[in-house]
Amino acid sequence: MNYNLLEQMGIGNFDLTYLFIAAFALIFILIIFTIIQTVRLGKLSKRYKKFMLGKSAKSLEQDIEGIFEDNKFIKAATEKNRKDILALYRKFEGAFQKVGIMKYDAFNQMGGQLSFSLALLDENDNGFILNSVHSTEGCYSYTKEIKGGLCEISLGDEEKKALDIAMGITVEE
């Protein structure tokens, strides 16, 4: 009895040299992949040893818990800072932030421009104009309320110029 495996498979004329070359190439490729994986595993092992250096599972767990506690503290501090900034913003919104002053000589006789109009406005252009008129008989001061950049009482030229300066409107002399 002659058992020829290749003939039974129907490839009796097949040259075994090609089969050996293919098997050798496959083995060579597998060896290369094995070397690559061994190098990667070595690098990963070094990183793991460095990470775990001097640590037990318990101490590592404590470190992770500490990080979570720090994260909670940072979130709470950030929220407090956000609320504080909003509170400061609300306070500053009503503070006088815009100033305009116009000095003038009220009666063209005194010299030195001792009279002035001072405009003080908040962020929303609300505030007042303080007008101080200096004359030979004395100094007289009065105010006019400003809401939204407007005054219900008519403004003098100097008062209008001081208001324009405070609101950032260019004043032409």
Side-chain angles (χ1 to χ4, degrees):
M1 278 191 149
N2 188 6
Y3 291 103
N4 191 348
L5 182 62
L6 294 176
E7 287 181 21
Q8 287 180 355
M9 292 174 53
I11 52 172
N13 295 337
F14 185 73
D15 191 3
L16 289 179
T17 306
Y18 296 120
L19 182 64
F20 285 124
I21 291 173
F24 179 73
L26 183 62
I27 290 171
F28 183 72
I29 290 171
L30 290 175
I31 288 172
I32 291 174
F33 280 136
T34 303
I35 291 171
I36 291 171
Q37 292 303 324
T38 303
V39 169
R40 285 184 179 175
L41 183 62
K43 288 180 182 179
L44 184 62
S45 178
K46 285 180 185 177
R47 287 176 55 199
Y48 176 75
K49 286 178 183 176
K50 184 178 178 182
F51 178 71
M52 295 300 289
L53 187 66
K55 298 196 183 282
S56 65
K58 187 70 173 171
S59 66
L60 187 59
E61 183 179 339
Q62 290 171 349
D63 289 347
I64 292 171
E65 286 176 358
I67 290 171
F68 280 118
E69 289 301 317
D70 290 346
N71 192 20
K72 286 179 186 177
F73 174 76
I74 290 170
K75 283 182 180 180
T78 301
E79 182 62 25
K80 182 188 177 307
N81 289 343
R82 188 185 67 78
K83 288 179 181 177
D84 289 347
I85 289 169
L86 286 175
L88 287 172
Y89 179 75
R90 280 190 221 108
K91 287 180 182 179
F92 282 127
E93 198 174 49
F96 294 125
Q97 301 175 19
K98 302 174 185 179
V99 177
I101 189 165
M102 189 70 197
K103 293 181 74 172
Y104 62 97
D105 190 2
F107 298 105
N108 294 328
Q109 62 194 15
M110 302 285 295
Q113 295 186 339
L114 299 175
S115 301
F116 65 90
S117 290
L118 173 67
L120 295 172
L121 303 174
D122 65 8
E123 182 178 328
N124 300 314
D125 292 333
N126 297 321
F128 63 90
I129 294 178
L130 173 65
N131 198 357
S132 178
V133 180
H134 190 77
S135 70
T136 54
E137 291 91 33
C139 183
Y140 304 96
S141 298
Y142 58 92
T143 62
K144 293 182 181 177
E145 185 178 16
I146 305 296
K147 289 185 180 178
L150 302 173
C151 183
E152 293 179 2
I153 304 170
S154 64
L155 297 175
D157 290 341
E158 292 81 11
E159 294 169 327
K160 177 69 175 137
K161 287 178 184 176
L163 181 61
D164 288 345
I165 291 170
M167 291 175 53
I169 301 171
T170 55
V171 178
E172 295 181 15
E173 293 287 327

